[in-house]
Amino acid sequence: MIGKLSYLGQRSDNIQNLQVPKAFALFARQALLHSTGSARVTVRCRLQYVVAALFLVHSASAEEPLPAIDCLIEPNQTIELSTAVTGVIEDVTVDRGDYVTKDQIVARLNSDVEKALVELAKARAEFDGDIKLREENRSYTQRNQQRVAKLYKNKAISFQQKDETDTQWRLAKLELNKAKQQQRINALEYAHAVANLKQRTTTSPIDGVVVKRFLFPGEYVENRPIISIAEINPLRVEVVAPVSLFGKIAVGDRAKIELETANDKPLFAEVIMVDKVIDAASGTYGIRLTLPNGDNQIPRGLRCQAHFLTKQAKQSLSAK
C-alpha cells in the first residue's frame, strides 16, 4: 500500500493539479515522500499518509458543479376556451383568478331552441305505439293466413284468395320491421339533439386557474375565446443554456430552482426536454424542466436560477 502511495508522491504534478487546499496538498506530498525514505515510520503516521492520499484521489474524481443558469417559470400550458358553435352567451360561471377543475362548466350559450328539440326527439324515441299497432296487425294477418290455408287445402276458396292473404301477412311483417327501424332512427335523432345541446356548454379540459376573461353574458360568440385558463401544476421551467454546456445536461437530470423572491422551501425540477439544435446567432440552446406545484404556491412568470445537480448531489438527495 505504501509503495503505491509513494508512487503518487513522486509525481509532483499529480498533487499540484488537484483542486484541494494548498497546505494540505503540500503536507500529503511530503508525507508520501517521507514514507518511502524512512524504514521506521510508525503505524499512526502510515494511517495519516493513507488518509491524505485517499482525500487527494477523491478530490481529483469529484465532479465540478455546473454554473447557475437563468430561467423562467411558466404555466405548463395555457389554453383559450371557446364554444364549438356560435351563439349568444347566457352565463359565464368563472372569473379571473378562479380555480377550475377538469370538466367543470365555465360558460353556457343561450339554448332554448336546442332544449325544445331535445324534448321533441326524446318523445319520438320513447313512443312505441306504432310498433304495437304493427305487431297486432301482423298477428291478425298470420291467423287469417292460417285459416285461409286450411280452406284452400279443402278446396273451399280459390288460389287468388289464398295468394292475397299470404301477401297481406308478408306486408304486415315488413311494416313491423319498418316501425322498429324508425324507432332506432328516432333514438339516434334524440342522441343527436342531446349532442347539439351539449355543444352549447363549455367545460374546462384541465385543472388550472382563470387568467383572463374575454366575453360577458349577452355577447355573441363567433371564433372568439371566452376565457383563458393556465395549468399551474406542474409548472414549466424554461432554461436557455450556453453552448458550452451542450451534452452535459440530459433528460432525467435534476436541478435546484432558486426563485427571485424569498422561498424557504427547496425546489427541485426534472429535465423533460433538451433541444437537439443550437441557435447559431446566440450560441445557446433550450432546456425544459417540470416543477411540481401541488399546493399552487409558486407563482408563474417568476425569474429564477437553475443549479443542475452533480451525481453526488443527486445521490445525496435520493438518500434523504
Side-chain angles (χ1 to χ4, degrees):
M1 179 67 179
I2 297 300
K4 293 182 180 180
L5 297 180
S6 64
Y7 173 74
L8 292 174
Q10 293 171 3
R11 295 290 304 273
S12 60
D13 55 334
N14 284 347
I15 295 176
Q16 293 174 354
N17 292 333
L18 295 178
Q19 297 181 358
V20 295
K22 184 176 180 182
F24 186 83
L26 180 61
F27 162 75
R29 178 174 179 273
Q30 292 178 351
L32 290 172
L33 292 174
H34 176 70
S35 67
T36 61
S38 174
R40 298 181 178 179
V41 180
T42 65
V43 174
R44 181 179 180 182
C45 290
R46 290 191 180 187
L47 290 176
Q48 291 176 346
Y49 302 155
V50 172
V51 171
L54 291 177
F55 181 85
L56 292 176
V57 173
H58 174 73
S59 300
S61 61
E63 290 182 275
E64 182 180 354
L66 298 178
I69 310 175
D70 292 336
C71 56
L72 180 65
I73 297 178
E74 297 179 347
N76 189 46
Q77 60 177 322
T78 302
I79 57 177
E80 294 183 345
L81 286 182
S82 186
T83 58
V85 295
T86 59
V88 177
I89 296 178
E90 183 180 83
D91 185 27
V92 179
T93 62
V94 294
D95 206 344
R96 180 179 176 181
D98 292 342
Y99 288 97
V100 296
T101 58
K102 185 177 180 179
D103 297 329
Q104 177 181 337
I105 295 176
V106 296
R108 296 184 183 90
L109 298 182
N110 186 286
S111 54
D112 293 340
V113 174
E114 287 73 17
K115 290 178 181 178
L117 291 175
V118 167
E119 292 299 321
L120 178 60
K122 181 180 180 181
R124 287 176 176 172
E126 294 176 349
F127 178 72
D128 59 352
D130 194 43
I131 291 179
K132 291 181 178 179
L133 176 63
R134 301 305 176 185
E135 286 178 343
E136 187 64 29
N137 184 51
R138 185 194 64 173
S139 298
Y140 168 74
T141 55
Q142 185 178 15
R143 293 193 304 270
N144 190 41
Q145 188 266 348
Q146 292 172 352
R147 286 193 297 266
V148 170
K150 291 179 180 179
L151 292 173
Y152 178 76
K153 185 176 181 181
N154 296 328
K155 298 182 180 181
I157 60 174
S158 65
F159 175 78
Q160 182 179 358
Q161 291 175 312
K162 176 181 180 301
D163 182 58
E164 183 179 351
T165 305
D166 292 342
T167 302
Q168 290 177 350
W169 180 59
R170 288 193 295 267
L171 290 176
K173 290 194 297 182
L174 292 174
E175 288 176 352
L176 177 59
N177 290 335
K178 180 181 177 181
K180 290 181 177 180
Q181 291 176 0
Q182 184 60 48
Q183 189 178 46
R184 286 195 290 269
I185 292 174
N186 292 341
L188 293 175
E189 289 179 346
Y190 172 60
H192 181 258
V194 171
N196 283 338
L197 178 61
K198 187 177 180 180
Q199 283 186 322
R200 306 186 74 81
T201 300
T202 301
T203 58
S204 174
I206 59 173
D207 296 335
V209 62
V210 179
V211 295
K212 194 170 184 179
R213 177 173 173 173
F214 300 97
L215 299 176
F216 294 84
E219 294 189 88
Y220 188 76
V221 179
E222 184 178 12
N223 299 325
R224 298 171 63 189
I226 300 175
I227 60 173
S228 177
I229 299 178
E231 183 182 14
I232 58 175
N233 182 35
L235 291 168
R236 192 175 72 225
V237 181
E238 296 290 347
V239 176
V240 179
V243 68
S244 59
L245 298 182
F246 190 78
K248 297 182 179 180
I249 301 172
V251 173
D253 287 351
R254 303 189 68 188
K256 183 178 180 181
I257 305 300
E258 290 186 357
L259 307 180
E260 62 180 359
T261 59
N263 186 61
D264 298 332
K265 182 180 177 180
L267 304 175
F268 296 94
E270 182 177 346
V271 178
I272 58 174
M273 188 273 294
V274 178
D275 282 347
K276 301 299 188 296
V277 179
I278 296 174
D279 181 56
S282 61
T284 59
Y285 67 103
I287 301 173
R288 179 174 297 170
L289 303 91
T290 180
L291 177 63
N293 187 29
D295 52 4
N296 296 330
Q297 295 301 309
I298 307 174
R300 66 272 183 200
L302 278 180
R303 295 190 177 275
C304 57
Q305 281 198 328
H307 300 265
F308 287 91
L309 305 180
T310 61
K311 184 181 297 185
Q312 289 87 345
K314 288 187 287 186
Q315 292 174 350
S316 175
L317 184 63
S318 300
K320 292 182 179 181

